[in-house]
């Protein structure tokens, strides 16, 4: 037969002890009530309890004093604070005293049963008292201190990202103006370079064509290919005219191409920058 688990309920209101007895009786628990802290400490000296549930506000000795004295005398006994006046400060103080759990009234039957089960399981699993766990608690607190800078890193990164996006939006008009100013000159320079390159490429061919008839003997040229020399004489002027026409067309068309660069390029640049900025904003939002 399984031995009953003994619980000590300390509260100046007898209704609380009666509630624990009503919920836990028949479920493997023996509930003993104490009306104040001194009576509870006397019972703990005389009997062995698996867990203690104590009210926070009681006449004479309050629940925190009871918890401190129990932790000093029997550090293996779990202590649970039960109160209807809970606050973050009182809960933090209770945790500092080494209590196992902090319950706020009103208590439901499920809360009573779950808390009793947790307290008894703590004893059965051989978990040491919170005072003896002070060093591990400090160890667990250390990563929180070191984790804080890591948590700040994404925030800093987000701020830098936002500043970068704002800078892109503000710089877009100036970059577009730079496009408008520089790109026409780039276009004109490219056209001039193409024209000069074409002219230089045609010059050796014209010189070779003009030197060929002079280098060949007149008699041999007349006998070998009298008709073949005629196309050479006629093609050279044609090539020169075509090259000159191409250069002239390039020079004439250059201002219009430059104007097209001035009109179109800033809008293309602004659209590209706006697209990059919006894409970054959507990635940030997602």
């Amino acid at each position: 037969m399984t031995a009953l688990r003994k619980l000590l309920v300390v509260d100046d209101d007898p209704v609380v002890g009666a509630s624990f007895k009503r919920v836990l009786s028949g479920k493997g628990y023996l509930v003993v009530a104490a009306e104040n802290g001194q009576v509870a400490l006397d019972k703990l000296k005389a009997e062995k309890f698996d867990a203690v549930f104590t009210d926070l506000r009681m006449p004479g000795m309050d629940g925190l004093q009871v918890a401190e004295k129990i932790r000093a005398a029997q550090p293996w006994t779990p202590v649970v604070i039960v109160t209807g006046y809970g606050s973050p400060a009182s809960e933090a103080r209770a945790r500092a005293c080494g209590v196992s759990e902090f319950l706020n009234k009103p208590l439901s039957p499920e809360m009573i049963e779950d808390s009793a089960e947790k307290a008894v399981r703590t004893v059965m699993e051989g978990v040491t008292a919170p005072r003896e766990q002070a060093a591990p608690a400090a160890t667990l607190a250390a990563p929180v201190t070191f984790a804080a800078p890591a948590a700040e890193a994404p925030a800093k990164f987000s701020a830098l990202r936002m500043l970068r996006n704002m800078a892109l939006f503000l710089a877009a008009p100036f970059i577009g103006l730079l496009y408008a100013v520089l790109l026409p000159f780039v276009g004109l320079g490219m056209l001039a370079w193409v024209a000069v390159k074409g002219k230089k490429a045609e010059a050796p061919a014209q010189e070779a064509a003009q030197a060929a008839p002079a280098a060949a003997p007149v008699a041999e040229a007349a006998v070998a290919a009298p008709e073949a020399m005629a196309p050479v004489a006629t093609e050279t002027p044609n090539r020169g005219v075509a090259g000159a026409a191409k250069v002239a067309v390039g020079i004439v068309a250059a201002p219009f191409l430059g104007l097209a660069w001035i009109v179109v390029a800033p809008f293309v640049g602004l659209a590209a920058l706006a697209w990059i900025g919006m894409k970054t904003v959507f990635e940030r939002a997602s």
Side-chain angles (χ1 to χ4, degrees), residues 210-254:
Q210 293 174 359
V218 177
E220 185 179 352
V223 174
E227 298 84 7
M229 295 180 62
V232 174
T234 56
E235 284 179 10
T236 302
N238 290 337
R239 280 204 209 98
V241 171
K246 185 166 66 172
V247 172
V249 170
I251 294 174
V252 172

Side-chain angles (χ1 to χ4, degrees), residues 98-248:
V99 301
S100 300
E101 195 173 1
F102 193 92
L103 299 179
N104 290 292
K105 296 178 182 178
L107 301 179
S108 64
E110 291 78 11
M111 291 174 63
I112 293 175
E113 188 172 354
D114 290 346
S115 181
E117 183 180 352
K118 289 179 184 177
V120 171
R121 190 188 309 124
T122 300
V123 178
M124 293 178 64
E125 292 176 353
V127 178
T128 56
R131 285 189 183 229
E132 297 174 0
Q133 292 178 343
T139 305
L140 292 174
V144 178
T145 304
F146 291 106
E152 293 174 0
K156 292 181 179 179
F157 181 72
S158 301
L160 291 175
R161 227 166 145 185
M162 185 177 297
L163 290 174
R164 186 189 66 182
N165 296 339
M166 292 175 62
L168 283 175
F169 280 118
L170 293 175
F174 300 99
I175 296 176
L177 180 62
L178 188 63
Y179 269 103
V181 173
L182 295 182
L183 286 182
F185 296 100
V186 174
L188 290 172
M190 291 178 64
L191 289 172
W193 178 75
V194 171
V196 172
K197 183 179 179 182
K199 189 174 181 181
K200 287 183 178 180
E202 289 180 357
Q206 292 178 359
E207 293 176 358
Q210 293 174 359
V218 177
E220 185 179 352
V223 174
E227 298 84 7
M229 295 180 62
V232 174
T234 56
E235 284 179 10
T236 302
N238 290 337
R239 280 204 209 98
V241 171
K246 185 166 66 172
V247 172

